[in-house]
C-alpha cells in the first residue's frame, strides 16, 4: 500500500473536518446564537415538522403587535384571553422548544421575542439545506399584553381574496408589498393545515373546478371528508402535496419530477409556486395569488428561478423579524409564558 505524503495527510484531515461540518453543524461564534441553533437542530432532528412550526411562530408573533413574544403568553397582564386562543392561531406549536432555549440562555438576558426570531431563522436554514440564510440583530423586548381578539383582527385567514390579502400586508406598521406577500406565501411549502381551513375548497358548490385540480380535490375529500367537521373532528394534512403519502400522490395525480421539483419531503423550497400554478394548493388565499397580474407574475418568476426566491425569502423574513414591538410596557420576560409581574412565576 502506497504511503501518503505529509501534504496529502493534511488535506485528508482537513477534508474530514469539513465533511463533519454538515448542515446539522453550522454553529455560530456568538454564544447565544450558538445555543439557539443547537436546540433548534435537536428539535428538528427529533421531529422535522417542528421546523415549520418555528417558522410559523415568527409570522404569528410579529404580525400582531410587532416582534414582542406576545404569542407565547398564556396569561396577559390585563387579563385578556391570549393570542394562543385565537381562531387564526389554530395549531400553533413549538412553544416547548422556545422554553428549552430560554432555559439555555437564561443568564444571557435574551428576550423571548429574540428567541422566536432566532429559532425561526435557524429553522429556515435547516429546512432549506442552508440555501436560505439571513442575519438578524438582537435587542427586542417582550410585551406583557396578549389578546386573541387582536390576533383574529389582523392575522390573514385562509379564505381571504386577493384584495384583502394585499390590504392586510400593507396595513399599519407592517407595510409589505405584493412581491413580499407572494414571497412569504412560499412558506406553505412546509407545515400542515387543518381541515377547517380548506373545507370549502373541497365542495364544488363553494369552489369552482377551475380553482382546484380535480384529482387533488378528490384525494383530499377521500383523506379528510368535510363531514368530519360535523363530528367535531378537525384533522390535519401537509400543506405541500409532495409531503403526502405515495398513495395520496397517485390519487392526486402528483409527480414532483414532472413538475421539476425535488422529491425530498419537508423541505423549504420553491415547490409552492409549482403547486400553485397547477391548482394543487390547499388554501383559497394561495390560489387567489393567480388572480392579480403582479402576483401571478411573481408566481411564475419564483417557479422558474428558485435561487431568486431563496434570496427574496431571506430578505422578507429578515424584514418580518424586525417589525418593532407596538406596546409601551415592555420587558425581558423571565418566563416566556407569563409577564414578570405575575406572582405565580
Amino acid at each position: 500500500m502506497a504511503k501518503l505524503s505529509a501534504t496529502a495527510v493534511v488535506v485528508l484531515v482537513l477534508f474530514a473536518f469539513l465533511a463533519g461540518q454538515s448542515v446539522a453543524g453550522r454553529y455560530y461564534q456568538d454564544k447565544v446564537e450558538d445555543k439557539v441553533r443547537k436546540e433548534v437542530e435537536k428539535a428538528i432532528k427529533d421531529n422535522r415538522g417542528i421546523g415549520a412550526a418555528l417558522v410559523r411562530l415568527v409570522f404569528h408573533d410579529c404580525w400582531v403587535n410587532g416582534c414582542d413574544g406576545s404569542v407565547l403568553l398564556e396569561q396577559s397582564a390585563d387579563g385578556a384571553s391570549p393570542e394562543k386562543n385565537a381562531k387564526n392561531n389554530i395549531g400553533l406549536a413549538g412553544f416547548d422548544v422556545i422554553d428549552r432555549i430560554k432555559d439555555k440562555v437564561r443568564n444571557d438576558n435574551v428576550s423571548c421575542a429574540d428567541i422566536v426570531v432566532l429559532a425561526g431563522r435557524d429553522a429556515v436554514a435547516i429546512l432549506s439545506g442552508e440555501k436560505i440564510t439571513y442575519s438578524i440583530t438582537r435587542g427586542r423586548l417582550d410585551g406583557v399584553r396578549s389578546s386573541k381578539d387582536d390576533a383574529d383582527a389582523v392575522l390573514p385567514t385562509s379564505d381571504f381574496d386577493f384584495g384583502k390579502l394585499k390590504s392586510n400586508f400593507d396595513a399599519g406598521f407592517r407595510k409589505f408589498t405584493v412581491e413580499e406577500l407572494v414571497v412569504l406565501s412560499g412558506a406553505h411549502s412546509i407545515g400542515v393545515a387543518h381541515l377547517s381551513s380548506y373545507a370549502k375548497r373541497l365542495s364544488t358548490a363553494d369552489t369552482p373546478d377551475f380553482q382546484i385540480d380535480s384529482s387533488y380535490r378528490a384525494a383530499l375529500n377521500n383523506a379528510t371528508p368535510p363531514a368530519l367537521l360535523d363530528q367535531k373532528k378537525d384533522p390535519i394534512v401537509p400543506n405541500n402535496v409532495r409531503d403526502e403519502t405515495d398513495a395520496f400522490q397517485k390519487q392526486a395525480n402528483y409527480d414532483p419530477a414532472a413538475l421539476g421539483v425535488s422529491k425530498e419531503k419537508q423541505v423549504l423550497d420553491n415547490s409552492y409556486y409549482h403547486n400553485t400554478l397547477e391548482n394543487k394548493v390547499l388554501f383559497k388565499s394561495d390560489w387567489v395569488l393567480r388572480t392579480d397580474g403582479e402576483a401571478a407574475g411573481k408566481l411564475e418568476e419564483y417557479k422558474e428561478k428558485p435561487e431568486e426566491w431563496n434570496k427574496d425569502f431571506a430578505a422578507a423574513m429578515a424584514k418580518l423579524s424586525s417589525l418593532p414591538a407596538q406596546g409601551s410596557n415592555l420587558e425581558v420576560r423571565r418566563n416566556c409564558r407569563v409577564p414578570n409581574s405575575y406572582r405565580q412565576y
Side-chain angles (χ1 to χ4, degrees):
M1 183 176 180
K3 292 184 178 180
L4 294 174
S5 67
T7 300
V9 171
V10 170
V11 170
L12 286 175
V13 171
L14 177 60
F15 177 81
F17 172 77
L18 292 175
Q21 304 306 298
S22 63
V23 168
R26 184 182 181 276
Y27 302 133
Y28 300 96
Q29 290 185 346
D30 179 280
K31 66 177 182 179
V32 170
E33 295 195 17
D34 184 55
K35 291 174 183 178
V36 174
R37 173 72 185 215
K38 288 177 180 177
E39 290 303 313
V40 173
E41 285 179 353
K42 290 176 185 176
I44 293 178
K45 183 178 180 180
D46 291 340
N47 174 13
R48 191 166 176 86
I50 206 67
L54 293 173
V55 177
R56 187 182 181 214
L57 272 183
V58 179
F59 184 87
H60 284 249
D61 183 40
C62 297
W63 210 248
V64 180
N65 288 308
C67 303
D68 67 347
S70 57
V71 73
L72 307 173
L73 287 171
E74 293 182 351
Q75 301 285 344
S76 178
D78 60 0
S81 181
E83 292 172 33
K84 285 182 178 180
N85 296 338
K87 180 181 179 181
N88 291 342
N89 277 333
I90 184 173
L92 282 184
F95 301 110
D96 54 338
V97 180
I98 302 299
D99 289 338
R100 290 198 295 271
I101 295 172
K102 182 65 174 179
D103 286 341
K104 294 291 183 179
V105 300
R106 189 166 298 279
N107 296 325
D108 297 310
N109 197 39
V110 181
S111 70
C112 301
D114 274 346
I115 293 172
V116 168
V117 297
L118 289 171
R121 186 268 308 270
D122 290 342
V124 165
I126 294 168
L127 295 182
S128 69
E130 301 297 329
K131 293 180 180 178
I132 306 175
T133 60
Y134 52 94
S135 299
I136 48 179
T137 58
R138 297 200 301 275
R140 295 161 192 78
L141 294 175
D142 300 320
V144 299
R145 184 177 188 275
S146 182
S147 166
K148 73 177 185 66
D149 292 336
D150 289 350
D152 279 334
V154 301
L155 287 171
T157 66
S158 62
D159 63 353
F160 269 14
D161 59 26
F162 182 77
K164 287 183 178 179
L165 280 175
K166 181 178 179 180
S167 295
N168 180 275
F169 269 65
D170 184 51
F173 63 92
R174 293 180 290 274
K175 300 301 179 187
F176 279 70
T177 65
V178 168
E179 177 178 314
E180 289 165 332
L181 160 60
V182 179
V183 168
L184 289 175
S185 296
H188 287 167
S189 66
I190 54 175
V192 296
H194 284 77
L195 170 59
S196 57
S197 298
Y198 63 86
K200 287 187 177 182
R201 296 265 289 162
L202 306 186
S203 165
T204 54
D206 294 314
T207 303
D209 289 338
F210 70 88
Q211 293 186 12
I212 184 171
D213 176 83
S214 59
S215 297
Y216 182 48
R217 172 148 61 185
L220 286 169
N221 266 306
N222 182 59
T224 56
L228 291 173
L229 295 176
D230 297 331
Q231 304 171 29
K232 308 299 181 184
K233 298 178 181 179
D234 197 6
I236 60 174
V237 297
N239 283 336
N240 195 334
V241 62
R242 183 179 62 184
D243 293 339
E244 288 280 8
T245 63
D246 290 342
F248 184 101
Q249 288 187 16
K250 184 176 181 180
Q251 185 179 6
N253 193 27
Y254 181 80
D255 182 359
L259 290 181
V261 296
S262 168
K263 292 183 179 181
E264 190 175 358
K265 296 180 182 296
Q266 298 189 64
V267 172
L268 183 62
D269 64 8
N270 77 325
S271 58
Y272 166 84
Y273 302 97
H274 292 261
N275 295 345
T276 301
L277 291 168
E278 292 289 327
N279 289 341
K280 292 184 178 180
V281 283
L282 286 175
F283 306 136
K284 174 184 176 182
S285 58
D286 290 325
W287 180 83
V288 298
L289 297 180
R290 300 189 62 179
T291 66
D292 175 78
E294 181 182 359
K298 297 305 294 187
L299 290 175
E300 292 282 358
E301 184 176 337
Y302 292 135
K303 171 190 171 184
E304 300 298 331
K305 300 178 180 179
E307 296 83 4
E308 184 172 336
W309 179 72
N310 292 342
K311 175 179 64 70
D312 289 351
F313 187 77
M317 285 297 296
K319 177 178 175 178
L320 175 65
S321 301
S322 300
L323 290 178
Q326 299 300 294
S328 57
N329 190 3
L330 303 170
E331 62 189 13
V332 175
R333 293 203 295 270
R334 296 187 294 269
N335 182 330
C336 289
R337 295 178 183 253
V338 293
N340 291 340
S341 59
Y342 266 71
R343 293 181 180 179
Q344 60 263 45
Y345 170 72

